[in-house]
Every structure is written in C-alpha cells, then in structure tokens.
Amino acid sequence: MHRLIRGPVPRPLFALLAALAAGSAFAEREHAVRLPLLPKYLQECAACHVAYPPGLLPAASWQRIMSNLSRHFGADASLDAASAKELSAWLAANAATSKRVQEAPPDDRITRSAWFVRKHDEVPARVWKLPAVKSAANCNACHQQAQQGIFNEHDVRIPR
Amino acid sequence: MNRSFFARSLSAALIAACLAPVARAAQPAQLLDGYSAQAGAPPMADRGQKLFTSRHGREWSCASCHGAPPTQTGKHASTGKSIGALAPAFNTERFTDAAKTEKWFRRNCNDVIGRECTAGEKADVLAWLLTLKP
C-alpha cells in the first residue's frame, strides 16, 4: 500500500528541469519527494507530523534522529527495536545524496536547512507565528497537499 | 516494585487477549479490565479526568493535544498535526490494539508526567474516556 508521492512539476518538464539542474539540491529534492513512502513510516512517524520525504535530510541526520527517538524534538517518540531498525534502514537508503543537502542542518531540522530557509525567505515572520501555522514543521498549514508529499508552490495557501 | 516485570506480564496478558480466537482485536473494555486487574483496584473515572486535564509540572497535559474533553479532533501541541478523537465512543479505532495503546501511554505519559504511567493510572484514564458519550 505504497502511496506515490508526486513532485510539483509535470513529468516531461520535470525531466527537463532535472537534467538542467542535475547535481543541484533542487534535483535532489524533486527526486526525493517522488519516493513511495514506507507504510511503517506513515504509520509511526506521520502520526505526529507530516511524513517528511527522507531525501530532505542527509543520512547522518536521520541516523542521529533514529538513535535518539526517546528525545525527539521535545517529545518521546520511542519505538520498538524492530520498527526502529526497519525505519532506520529505509531512511538511510533514501536519504539525501546531493552535495548541498548532504550537509546536516543545525539540530538536524529540515526547517533550518539552507535550501529551506532560502525557499521560504519571502514568508513574513508573523505568518510563522499564526495559530494555524504554529511551526515551520507544520508544512500542511500552507502546502495544501503536503500530506501527499506534494510541495508545489502553486498549492500554497497561507492562512490569515 | 518491579515495573518492568509488571509491564512484561501486562503485555503478555494483553497480547494473549489480542490473540484470543473470538476477537483478535481488543475492545476498550477488555483493555480497561486488563489494566484494572494489573492495578489490583477498581478504576476511578474522576481520577482519570484529573490526570488527563492537569499539567504535572511540565509543559503539556494530555488535553494539550487531545482536547478537553477529547471527543473531537485534537491538534498536536508541537507540530499542529490533527489527532483523531480519543474517546472510543467518538472514534471506534481507539483502544482496540493493546500494543498501540501501550506504546502511546508510554510515550505520552513520559511527555506529560515525566515517567511511565502505572496500570492504575491507565485504568483511570481509560475509565474516564469510556464515560464520554455523544
């Protein structure tokens, strides 16, 4: 029951852009969000937050996150050993590989990655503080289809 | 008192309940019976309500994410993600899986109280949740 994650651009255009942007973080992320998500990942991780595409963090970040689940960004997200092992392997296999995304962001937070900050630099500070947004980690507050892995700029609706 | 022994025997009892031929999935009332038996005392819904709605010297109460009463969709206090209603009468999936129930009690009691909940506390909370009806 894999859910196919669609990228923001149509396939032919995507191919062209991907070719043009080969090796860039852009291509990396476009590839990353097209990955079918592991059912276990949806079940265990997406219970509390958006199913962040694994290609948005480097393997080292995922490894640190998975080895510290009992203190997971302020909450206990501890898992049974078998589930943790399955998820760790899948995250490692699908982590970012491009040079730019390979750099671990501060605190291993996707939202503190250089590309994330740059992509969101036009969002006013007050928007992040809206009750409906609460946190930059709450992708679907603005990205209407984030739960489906779609982060297309045209689907963005900033709450008021 | 050896908590891990209790946890193990409780898990074993709950797993056995799950594997019973009649009903593979547990029912909330069965889980409540299991926790009460483990606690060796009848549950008190009022005590469960207090535990659920109070903060315990930390940032969050159970209600911070699940709402009070938890009969509607809640919202994760940190990520903002919506959380399905917790009271079984409002969400039939709740408390039908012993392992899942144990996992969330473990995590959430740790976040709210700073330790795992006792079987008695779990029984109290579940007893209160079962009093909530449409």
Side-chain angles (χ1 to χ4, degrees), chain B residues 9-128:
Chain B
S9 31
L10 175 62
S11 304
L14 292 174
I15 288 164
C18 268
L19 296 176
V22 178
R24 190 177 153 75
Q27 289 303 308
Q30 285 177 294
L31 295 185
L32 173 58
D33 288 348
Y35 286 131
S36 301
Q38 189 64 48
M44 285 179 60
D46 289 357
R47 222 162 40 194
Q49 178 177 18
K50 187 157 183 282
L51 187 149
F52 191 93
T53 52
S54 310
R55 282 168 46 180
H56 301 261
R58 298 183 142 229
E59 191 183 352
W60 296 333
S61 68
C62 306
S64 301
C65 294
H66 291 292
T71 54
Q72 294 177 346
T73 300
K75 196 173 183 184
H76 196 288
S78 164
T79 67
K81 176 144 179 137
S82 65
I83 299 172
L86 184 63
F90 297 82
N91 184 349
T92 52
E93 278 182 31
R94 292 300 193 185
F95 301 98
T96 57
D97 179 327
K100 189 175 177 182
T101 300
E102 274 294 278
K103 177 179 78 178
W104 284 107
F105 265 132
R106 183 189 74 236
R107 291 172 168 181
N108 295 353
C109 289
N110 206 15
D111 283 340
V112 169
I113 311 181
R115 58 166 173 80
E116 293 194 25
C117 284
T118 64
E121 287 168 333
K122 295 173 194 172
D124 290 346
V125 167
L126 186 46
W128 176 59

